[in-house]
Amino acid sequence: MARGRLGWLAQWPVIVLSLLVGALSLVPLGFVVAMTIATGWNTALALVVRPRVLELLGNTVWLVLLTVPLCLVLGVGGAWLVERTTLRAHRVWAVLLAAPLAIPAFVNSYAWVSAIPSMEGLGSGVLIATLSYYPLVYIPAAATLSRLDPAIEQSAASLGLGPVRVFFRVVLPQLRIAIAGGALLVGLHLLAEYGAFAMIRFDTFTTAIMEQYRSTFNGSAGNMLASVLVLLCLIMLVIESRARGNHRYAKLGSGAQAAPSRFRLGAWEVPAHLGLLGVAALALGVPVWIISRWFVAGGAEIWAEDSLSTLATALGQSLWLGLLGALATTAAAFPLAWLAVRFPGWLSKSLELANYVTSSMPGIVLALAFVTVALRSVPVLYQTTPLLVLAYVLLFLPRALVSLRAGLAQAPHELEEAAQALGRPPLAAFLRVTLRLAAPAAAGGAALVFLAVVNELTATLLLSPTGTMTLATKFWSLSSGIDYAGAAPYALLMILLSAPMTYLLFQQSKKAAGQ
């Protein structure tokens, strides 16, 4: 017991830093709660129970109820075809099905709207959201299928169960965690998305909050919309937790995992290829073709000195903010990951939960919280780079935290002790052993944060310093002004920057599924 207490005391700087990160994570949630209380029950009820809010609630609920099942069907179905059937060129399809994640949803919406200007409303929103977000289900489902021991499936088949019954009775239950997690990610993205739905004139809570903020912002009305939005996020977290449950699907014992048996598609192979080709054409072909077409249509103007200078500035600022966000987020995640690995317990779990709740909030809610807190408490921070980077940290901390925690778990404390026993000072042992082993995981997490920052729109629009111009914000400015040709180079650059990071995410998910 004494040794445990001494261990905690020796790590007090890490604990203090973790508590600081946790306290910052509670700022947005505290803002929503405080503003709701300050509004008063009667006023809050009047602002929430009104036709406009009910309309937004109906739009949002229908969007989630229609899009999430479609993403589940495409994601799980595609994963099963790639990992469990004799589908030809399955390795190519594995990458193509994950590739749409490299295209931001608002870029996808821009491509569809410029191709079909009449697109608007719920149906268009479901189409664009499904094509943009189904990889969030496909990637974890494919990763889980690739690592599942097929012995149970083979046993079920030997008892006379056909492929369809084996899938629904044996395979699908083992995908429960991946499906629940993927559905949660899709749902949270639907609640947070602004650009894609604003472009097709489909009203959600996020678009309504942004409209109020950018025109005649009503503090009480906007805060109540944010409160309802946060409540929907919390409901989704609870549903995902219940759906995931406490089940574990792991193989116990030694021995090599059996090679998976692939179901022969036979006459169904051609329809399967046609179906996957249709998904790839809609999710990848349409946006890439439309962006390329507008890029060519821009002609010489795209290569004019002023245009290239503006493009270079936007690229440079995007890379700079992405680098700052990645470094700051990884640094903030380190003490939390260290605490979770070296001293697991109620404190580390509570701090992680606080950040997961905050990061699940839409960027616009977090940005509004920071705008209000900065103006009222620290006005010197309003519209500054540090405040914007802090928002990135809170939004994307889990991406770095998950990778760092896995990396630190592979560097047990006993290795540091062995290095110290050989004469290394504690700091040198940490740098030469633990930090070195965790560096690849930290780099992977930082790369995923970098990708998120480069494509972030809403928080950047609200918090960025005057004059800041990123690829996302410049693209949004041009596309909102119907300058589709001028927006094409920015869309193309975002896709080119996102593609390698998306492939990295796909590969990391496969490794994580095997741990």
Side-chain angles (χ1 to χ4, degrees), residues 472-491:
T473 59
K474 185 61 178 178
F475 164 84
W476 181 249
S477 174
L478 292 170
S479 59
S480 299
I482 320 297
D483 185 2
Y484 293 145
Y490 299 90

Side-chain angles (χ1 to χ4, degrees), residues 26-169:
L26 294 176
V27 169
L29 184 60
F31 160 78
V32 172
V33 173
M35 290 298 101
T36 302
I37 294 174
T39 301
W41 172 252
N42 293 331
T43 304
L45 187 63
L47 289 172
V48 170
V49 185
R50 55 193 175 104
R52 175 58 172 166
V53 176
L54 294 178
E55 177 191 354
L56 295 174
L57 182 62
N59 288 348
T60 303
V61 170
W62 276 113
L63 179 69
V64 172
L65 290 179
L66 292 174
T67 303
V68 171
L70 288 174
C71 288
L72 291 178
V73 171
L74 288 179
V76 175
W80 183 75
L81 285 173
V82 168
E83 300 293 340
R84 281 292 192 269
T85 72
T86 56
L87 184 74
R88 289 187 179 90
H90 62 89
R91 296 182 186 275
V92 175
W93 286 118
V95 176
L96 287 179
L97 287 173
L101 200 60
I103 304 176
F106 56 88
V107 173
N108 209 348
S109 185
Y110 145 84
W112 280 92
V113 168
S114 60
I116 310 174
S118 61
M119 287 192 71
E120 63 178 32
L122 176 62
S124 299
V126 170
L127 173 65
I128 292 169
T130 301
L131 296 176
S132 299
Y133 296 135
Y134 83 83
L136 296 174
V137 177
Y138 164 75
I139 289 176
T144 303
L145 276 174
S146 68
R147 295 291 185 171
L148 284 180
D149 191 339
I152 301 177
E153 301 167 50
Q154 295 168 357
S155 299
S158 67
L159 294 174
L161 295 182
V164 175
R165 296 178 67 188
V166 169
F167 174 78
F168 283 102
R169 295 184 62 178

Side-chain angles (χ1 to χ4, degrees), residues 220 272 281 312 316 326 348 514:
S220 298
S348 60

Side-chain angles (χ1 to χ4, degrees), residues 50 280 316 325 365 444 454 474 508:
R50 55 193 175 104
V365 175
V454 168
K474 185 61 178 178
Q508 276 198 343

Side-chain angles (χ1 to χ4, degrees), residues 184-254:
L184 174 65
L185 287 176
V186 172
L188 292 177
H189 275 75
L190 292 175
L191 295 184
E193 182 59 45
Y194 164 68
F197 301 137
M199 198 165 287
I200 59 172
R201 298 177 292 280
F202 178 62
D203 293 335
T204 65
F205 281 105
T206 302
T207 61
I209 294 171
M210 181 66 83
E211 286 172 6
Q212 288 195 8
Y213 179 84
R214 296 177 69 95
S215 55
T216 55
F217 183 72
N218 183 321
S220 298
N223 289 333
M224 288 306 98
L225 290 178
S227 299
V228 177
L229 193 55
V230 170
L231 180 61
L232 291 176
C233 290
L234 294 178
I235 290 173
M236 283 191 179
L237 289 172
V238 172
I239 293 175
E240 187 272 341
S241 178
R242 293 291 181 89
R244 173 166 36 91
N246 296 318
H247 298 278
R248 295 185 63 190
Y249 304 100
K251 178 185 175 183
L252 299 177
S254 59

